[in-house]
């Protein structure tokens, strides 16, 4: 085994040395620059088109599950559990603090005084969804809780002295 590895290593080193030798021995031969330039300019054009195409494909593929809910849509009780949330200095008001898992929740979020950030955290304090809470706007956030449990709502934007105290609980119950 060891001698095999040793042999492969030697072969690779010899190959590398041959490449070095080839490049060095050819480096003194002058070559016409314009044809090379032309060739690489045409390659550059194609490369640009390839990257532009790749950008379009990757952008569409990664944004297909678009993370922002349609804001103009009116959400109602038929397909959604609607929760109206408002951020205040320094507490949250919610139209309800209990939802069920497995059915989409439409949070309609606003701010009463200054900008706040609605951050929803699971029991491990992992952020699961977030949206800005802004005075004068109602931002909509659609989220479906897969796991029942005690979720927490924390403020994600510094909003003054007791920003850290803006903690509310959201109970997610198992679907019956
Ligand atoms: Cu509200 Cu920070």
């Amino acid at each position: 085994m060891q001698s095999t590895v040793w042999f492969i290593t030697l072969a690779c080193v010899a190959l590398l040395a041959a490449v070095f030798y080839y490049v060095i021995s050819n480096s003194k031969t002058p070559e016409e620059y314009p044809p090379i330039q032309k060739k690489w300019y045409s390659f550059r054009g194609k490369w640009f088109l390839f990257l532009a195409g790749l950008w379009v494909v990757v952008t569409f593929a990664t944004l297909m599950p678009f993370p922002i809910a349609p804001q103009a849509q009116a959400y109602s009780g038929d397909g959604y559990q609607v929760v109206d949330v408002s951020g205040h200095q320094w507490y949250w008001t919610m139209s309800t603090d209990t939802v069920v898992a497995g059915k989409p929740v439409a949070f309609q979020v606003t701010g009463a005084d200054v900008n706040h950030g609605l951050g929803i955290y699971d029991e491990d304090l992992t952020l699961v969804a977030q949206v800005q809470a802004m005075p004068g706007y109602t931002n909509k956030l659609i989220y479906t809780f897969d796991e029942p449990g005690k979720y927490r709502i924390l403020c994600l934007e510094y909003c003054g002295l007791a920003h850290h105290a803006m903690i509310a609980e959201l109970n997610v119950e198992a679907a019956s």
Side-chain angles (χ1 to χ4, degrees):
M1 178 66 187
Q2 199 171 6
S3 60
T4 314
V5 173
W6 178 234
F7 178 77
I8 292 170
T9 309
L10 262 188
C12 288
V13 169
L15 186 69
L16 202 60
V19 170
F20 266 83
Y21 178 76
Y22 177 79
V23 170
I24 290 166
S25 60
N26 279 284
S27 64
K28 294 207 177 68
T29 323
E31 223 173 317
E32 281 297 312
Y33 184 59
I36 299 173
Q37 191 185 36
K38 203 172 153 230
K39 195 171 120 196
W40 283 96
Y41 273 9
S42 98
F43 173 76
R44 193 168 67 172
K46 289 192 192 99
W47 182 240
F48 174 76
L49 284 180
F50 169 74
L51 286 182
L54 189 69
W55 179 80
V56 169
V57 170
V58 169
T59 302
F60 269 90
T62 53
L63 284 182
M64 270 327 267
F66 194 64
I68 298 169
Q71 297 296 305
Q73 189 180 328
Y75 296 93
S76 67
D78 327 330
Y80 298 92
Q81 314 173 71
V82 178
V83 182
D84 293 311
V85 189
S86 183
H88 303 250
Q89 286 171 313
W90 290 278
Y91 58 94
W92 297 103
T93 55
M94 294 195 286
S95 58
T96 175
D97 62 359
T98 305
V99 294
V100 296
K103 186 183 173 190
V105 181
F107 293 95
Q108 309 197 115
V109 184
T110 189
D113 32 43
V114 298
N115 271 17
H116 301 272
L118 175 106
I120 305 171
Y121 293 78
D122 68 10
E123 289 182 351
D124 302 326
L125 284 185
T126 301
L127 183 68
V128 298
Q130 63 93 22
V131 73
Q132 285 275 300
M134 302 145 71
Y137 295 87
T138 300
N139 291 328
K140 286 143 183 180
L141 170 72
I142 309 298
Y143 187 75
T144 304
F145 295 90
D146 295 325
E147 296 289 329
K150 250 190 180 39
Y151 288 70
R152 255 167 285 185
I153 290 171
L154 273 64
C155 186
L156 274 180
E157 179 151 340
Y158 184 70
C159 54
L161 214 57
H163 154 75
H164 60 276
M166 289 185 65
I167 303 172
E169 275 193 358
L170 181 70
N171 300 304
V172 179
E173 293 176 343
S176 51

